Amino acid sequence: MNRAINEANQAIIERIRSARPHWIGVVAGKEAVPALAQGYKLLHAGPPITWQDMTGPMQGACIGACLFENWVQDEKHALDLLANGKVEFIPCHSVNAVGPMGGITSANMPMLVVENITHGNRAYCNLNEGIGKVMRFGAYGEEVLERHHWMKESLGPALNDAIKLFENGIDLTALMAQAITMGDEFHQRNIAASALLLRTLSPKLVLLDRNKVEMAKIFDFLSVTDQFFLNLAMAYCKSVMDSAAQIQEGTIVTVMTRNGKDFGIKVSGLGDEWFTAPVNTPQGLFFTGYSQNEANPDIGDSAITETFGIGGAAMVAAPGVTRFVGAGGADVAYEVSEEMSEIYLDHNMLLQIPSWNFQGCCLGLDILRVVETGITPLINTGIAHKQAGVGQIGAGTVRAPLACFEKALEALAKKLKV
């Protein structure tokens, strides 16, 4: 059995290494995910969940999506629609997609399209909204809706037109290989990747036949949105791990995600089956005026970065982020990545980390190693307020619950009859 598992895991690792995701466009959600085209349907982060079990930020984002789509005209009617079971909720991960925090995505929201050109599969993610009052943290006021309509009508189409001027889209691996040497770990810190992306896009954006005032607004938004690349990093990792999951054997984790209630994982050898446990609440540093007791339980699909082996697992690449998430100093960043390397099977030399003696980032999160060592993945994350619309109140780290991995290992043992 061990030999068969090892061979399967090695095949998955080689598949991850050979993946080459490219950003190839921006399309409406209903084009990326045809299921969104009919009726009242919303994508959400994490494993399956009902309206009644959603925490404040996700419920707020659902209200915002109903208003954005003009399904209703006010909050009261949105709540009636949502609470009475008239909206179907679909996990992003069930349709080759991911979404940060609440992950709520609707038919007419623009989505990034990333294609793994090696294996031919695609993954999708909504656009980063920037900072301040944003829907991913549950805000749904007028300024939030205005920004979403601008993203739909202006930003998304401009980005898509610019991307089409590249012969094969933008090679995200090449860009990330640079950014990781500049201090990004691609979950809580994406400032280098976002800057490199703007540098890459700019020569194409200026060729577009658009109003100068509008183009100035687009450039301004991209220049100040330090986390813009996060959504691309998520789609990148999703496209890679979806491809790896096609092997359908082994013990490598292909999905980690959270919905504010449950933490869920999927494993290569167990197909689409979810293994869940109650989420933990992030610990970290809080903005002035907020405290730990106001923190929302762990939420979002962005843990796909740690699934791939970056984010918290690559903390050593971004020592500057350790203070932001309340983890300590550079020595702590090193210790975190060293600890994480005990539960991943290999390293990805496409993404080398200078501050780790040029080791590659972690690769191949193994449920066997997690259960044997008791070490659970550490995730870098933003912290949302429990109440819808308050927004981000800090940043920190959180551990995946061990029970998910134990349940998956038991299921695999049963499948293999051992």
Side-chain angles (χ1 to χ4, degrees), residues 336-410:
V336 165
S337 292
E338 284 288 300
E339 182 189 34
M340 291 300 99
S341 68
E342 296 185 41
I343 57 175
Y344 290 78
L345 295 172
D346 215 323
H347 292 272
N348 186 348
M349 295 307 291
L350 290 172
L351 299 177
Q352 296 181 38
I353 303 173
S355 53
W356 209 13
N357 199 25
F358 289 93
Q359 279 193 103
C361 67
C362 293
L363 188 158
L365 176 58
D366 181 25
I367 59 169
L368 279 170
R369 288 196 176 187
V370 172
V371 175
E372 286 174 356
T373 63
I375 298 170
T376 53
L378 181 131
I379 297 163
N380 288 345
T381 186
I383 303 176
H385 196 283
K386 291 177 181 179
Q387 296 178 11
V390 176
Q392 184 174 4
I393 60 172
T397 60
V398 67
R399 292 276 182 170
L402 182 61
C404 294
F405 302 88
E406 292 174 332
K407 289 178 180 179
L409 187 57
E410 289 172 1

Side-chain angles (χ1 to χ4, degrees), residues 198-214:
L198 181 55
R199 185 184 73 169
T200 303
L201 281 171
S202 293
K204 307 300 184 184
L205 284 170
V206 298
L207 296 176
L208 302 182
D209 183 16
R210 277 176 171 69
N211 178 278
K212 287 185 178 181
V213 173
E214 187 56 32

Side-chain angles (χ1 to χ4, degrees), residues 269-281:
L270 294 165
D272 282 334
E273 187 174 357
W274 285 105
F275 300 93
T276 65
V279 298
N280 295 316
T281 299

Side-chain angles (χ1 to χ4, degrees), residues 73-330:
Q73 298 304 310
D74 56 43
E75 178 183 350
K76 180 183 180 299
H77 288 93
L79 286 168
D80 289 343
L81 195 71
L82 292 159
N84 291 326
K86 294 180 181 179
V87 176
E88 179 182 349
F89 298 110
I90 305 170
C92 292
H93 274 291
S94 297
V95 288
N96 309 114
V98 279
M101 301 310 292
I104 301 302
T105 308
S106 60
N108 290 295
M109 291 181 184
M111 298 189 80
L112 304 163
V113 184
V114 171
E115 181 171 343
N116 174 0
I117 62 171
T118 305
H119 305 119
N121 65 299
R122 292 183 177 184
Y124 310 95
C125 187
N126 54 13
L127 290 180
N128 193 286
E129 305 163 78
I131 58 175
K133 296 289 186 181
V134 290
M135 198 179 292
R136 67 181 183 274
F137 282 100
Y140 52 88
E142 185 177 342
E143 66 176 287
V144 176
L145 296 174
E146 284 181 1
R147 186 186 302 118
H148 270 270
H149 282 293
W150 173 73
M151 292 166 67
K152 170 194 169 186
E153 295 160 9
S154 181
L155 178 63
L159 290 173
N160 186 61
D161 289 349
I163 290 293
K164 297 306 179 186
L165 296 178
F166 292 87
E167 186 174 351
N168 294 302
I170 294 177
D171 183 346
L172 297 177
T173 305
L175 191 151
M176 292 168 69
Q178 289 181 282
I180 203 167
T181 70
M182 299 165 68
D184 281 358
E185 40 74 68
F186 305 111
H187 194 161
Q188 269 304 304
R189 193 179 193 277
N190 282 279
I191 187 170
S194 298
L196 290 170
L197 183 67
L198 181 55
R199 185 184 73 169
T200 303
L201 281 171
S202 293
K204 307 300 184 184
L205 284 170
V206 298
L207 296 176
L208 302 182
D209 183 16
R210 277 176 171 69
N211 178 278
K212 287 185 178 181
V213 173
E214 187 56 32
M215 288 307 300
K217 185 176 180 180
I218 289 170
F219 272 100
D220 182 63
F221 177 82
L222 294 174
S223 69
V224 299
T225 306
D226 293 346
Q227 281 286 76
F228 186 83
F229 193 83
L230 170 61
N231 300 48
L232 277 164
M234 290 171 60
Y236 175 100
C237 295
K238 176 62 175 169
S239 73
V240 175
M241 300 316 297
D242 275 0
S243 173
Q246 293 173 8
I247 292 179
Q248 298 184 344
E249 295 181 48
T251 58
I252 291 177
V253 178
T254 56
V255 169
M256 287 198 296
T257 184
R258 336 59 120 210
N259 60 24
K261 177 179 180 285
D262 295 316
F263 192 107
I265 70 170
K266 293 185 181 182
V267 179
S268 56
L270 294 165
D272 282 334
E273 187 174 357
W274 285 105
F275 300 93
T276 65
V279 298
N280 295 316
T281 299
Q283 306 285 316
L285 292 182
F286 292 85
F287 304 154
T288 302
Y290 298 104
S291 63
Q292 183 67 52
N293 62 12
E294 295 169 289
N296 196 75
D298 197 20
I299 189 169
D301 286 334
S302 53
I304 192 66
T305 56
E306 282 83 6
T307 312
F308 175 76
I310 49 180
M315 188 92 83
V316 67
V321 87
T322 58
R323 290 293 177 93
F324 181 58
V325 299

